[in-house]
Amino acid sequence: MHTLTTIETAHDMYLHLRATLRDVVPDVELRYKAELAAEINVLKRERNAIILGHNYMEPALFHSVADVGGDSLELSRQAATTDKDIIVFCGVRFMAETAKILNPTRTVLLPSAHGGCSLADGITAADVRALRARYPGVPVVTYINTSAEVKAESDIICTSGNAARIVNSLDSDTVIFLPDEYLAGNVAKETGKTLIGWTARCEVHDKFTVEDVANVRAQFPDTVILAHPECRPEVVDVVDFTGSTSAMIQYVERSTAPRYLLLTECSMGDNIAAANPGKEMLRLCSVRCPHMNEITLEETLAALQHLQYVIEVPEDVRLRAHQALSRMLAVT
Ligand code: 13P
Ligand code: SF4
């Protein structure tokens, strides 16, 4: 979580961004973005809106207009409890849908017409029904990176921050765990339970290999390597720490090591570097999430100006998805 930013003048915003991001964003970009960010904060107040920003948001947006920054679990909790009229979700569609499911009387805006995710796009509600028919009585745990329709077919939801805890909370040694093949492998190892999985993968985390880790260790032996649990299990086996995006941020903040490599989306390395000036983040990052990167300051301003893109979830789907999400929030 980071400081609340309510700055409404371009000059003050520029000074704030320069103090925070001078080592990660060029000055000319900071000046331009400060103007947009100040305009957004004025409109945010006038419209009685809250902006939730996922940890993968680009540094200038993350540090200027997001009232709350965090991982999927933290942002779900914020979305569920906010009393603001409008929730602007700077993240991807499944996150904005989750906000609408949990807090249906608010207007939820996604500053992108698409905001997909290869995991959410990798499974349908019909797929879940077919698995239930094949394995009757086996509980279904579904990752939050899924559509509202898929959540509605599930018994309980999990995030990267609580997946093992959710699986352990169930009174069953066999669990259907959807849709991330690698997360299922990692959670199976951690819990010792039998997980019946699916074949979807995160197109970003799929790219990191054991060889990448070995190369960095050979070149920079004092580097602490962190990976998101959407990485392949064999990669998770050889790194120093695995956790949700926020767990990785907290790990770097608490650790005293001089150098880190993050096997996750590139913007997070920039955000962590900005928050930890004395620590070096190895800039070997070449993998960006194209869906998260659709969210820009320009699109966020347009979202507040034109009230776009409004997220709606059919009420019958919402009620069933709400049940699965509430069960998760009760466990954690
Ligand atoms: P977190 O819940 O860890 O923030 O992960 C969300 C995500 O989409 C990672 O790719
Ligand atoms: Fe989906 Fe991967 Fe992008 Fe996260 S990084 S939103 S899991 S495609």
Side-chain angles (χ1 to χ4, degrees):
M1 303 266 196
H2 64 85
T3 6
L4 179 85
T5 49
T6 52
I7 302 165
E8 292 188 2
T9 67
H11 180 67
D12 288 352
M13 182 61 86
Y14 166 68
L15 294 180
H16 162 73
L17 286 178
R18 195 180 60 179
T20 321
L21 300 176
R22 66 186 169 281
D23 295 334
V24 286
V25 182
D27 190 69
V28 60
E29 201 179 314
L30 288 182
R31 285 180 191 277
Y32 165 68
K33 292 190 170 171
E35 285 184 23
L36 285 169
E39 213 178 329
I40 289 169
N41 279 348
V42 171
L43 211 49
K44 182 170 77 178
R45 175 178 48 76
E46 288 173 357
R47 293 225 187 257
N48 194 29
I50 183 171
I51 298 185
L52 305 181
H54 186 261
N55 291 323
Y56 286 167
M57 288 298 104
E58 59 124 336
L61 186 158
F62 193 70
H63 292 273
S64 64
V65 299
D67 298 297
V68 180
D71 65 13
S72 306
L73 183 58
E74 292 163 340
L75 296 179
S76 299
R77 287 190 185 286
Q78 286 292 328
T81 52
T82 184
D83 59 1
K84 297 284 184 187
D85 295 327
I86 296 175
I87 300 170
V88 180
F89 214 119
C90 290
V92 287
R93 178 166 293 268
F94 76 79
M95 296 179 176
E97 273 187 358
T98 300
K100 186 67 185 178
I101 292 164
L102 290 170
N103 205 340
T105 58
R106 313 292 153 198
T107 298
V108 177
L109 303 176
L110 178 68
S112 158
H114 314 288
C117 165
S118 63
L119 286 170
D121 295 340
I123 190 163
T124 66
D127 294 329
V128 186
R129 285 194 291 272
L131 280 163
R132 272 199 190 282
R134 194 161 158 207
Y135 301 101
V138 179
V140 177
V141 177
T142 295
Y143 194 32
I144 199 163
N145 294 40
T146 44
S147 67
E149 287 76 13
V150 165
K151 287 186 179 75
E153 299 294 335
S154 310
D155 294 311
I156 188 165
I157 306 303
C158 73
T159 74
S160 63
N162 63 16
R165 230 175 317 150
I166 296 291
V167 167
N168 278 333
S169 77
L170 300 171
D171 189 19
S172 172
D173 287 338
T174 304
V175 170
I176 298 173
F177 188 96
L178 307 170
D180 186 338
E181 178 184 341
Y182 297 151
L183 184 63
N186 290 321
V187 173
K189 266 194 212 166
E190 203 178 332
T191 60
K193 294 200 180 194
T194 303
L195 266 52
I196 299 163
W198 191 246
T199 52
R201 295 171 184 180
C202 163
E203 68 195 82
V204 174
H205 294 96
D206 194 19
K207 302 239 169 53
F208 298 113
T209 64
V210 169
E211 213 179 5
D212 294 334
V213 176
N215 287 340
V216 169
R217 292 223 191 273
Q219 258 187 294
F220 307 100
D222 61 350
T223 305
V224 173
I225 305 182
L226 299 87
H228 194 275
E230 289 167 11
C231 289
R232 297 160 185 268
E234 60 267 32
V235 170
V236 165
D237 280 348
V238 294
V239 300
D240 301 302
F241 178 78
T242 305
S244 78
T245 54
S246 286
M248 286 193 270
I249 292 170
Q250 283 152 21
Y251 185 96
V252 173
E253 273 167 8
R254 285 179 198 148
S255 165
T256 52
R259 189 177 281 148
Y260 302 83
L261 174 71
L262 291 140
L263 301 182
T264 193
E265 214 275 346
C266 306
S267 294
M268 247 210 30
D270 293 337
N271 286 329
I272 297 187
N276 297 273
K279 297 171 188 171
E280 185 191 349
M281 301 302 132
L282 285 186
R283 291 282 194 273
L284 301 181
C285 189
S286 58
V287 194
R288 292 209 173 261
C289 171
H291 315 291
M292 290 283 185
N293 277 269
E294 286 168 16
I295 310 297
T296 60
L297 282 165
E298 287 87 344
E299 293 295 334
T300 305
L301 179 59
L304 278 164
Q305 282 169 333
H306 310 298
L307 295 183
Q308 68 188 25
Y309 296 89
V310 178
I311 298 293
E312 299 289 2
V313 178
E315 189 60 7
D316 60 320
V317 173
R318 191 194 73 77
L319 286 172
R320 288 182 294 131
H322 186 271
Q323 202 173 34
L325 276 163
S326 300
R327 285 195 190 117
M328 171 185 84
L329 293 175
V331 169
T332 51

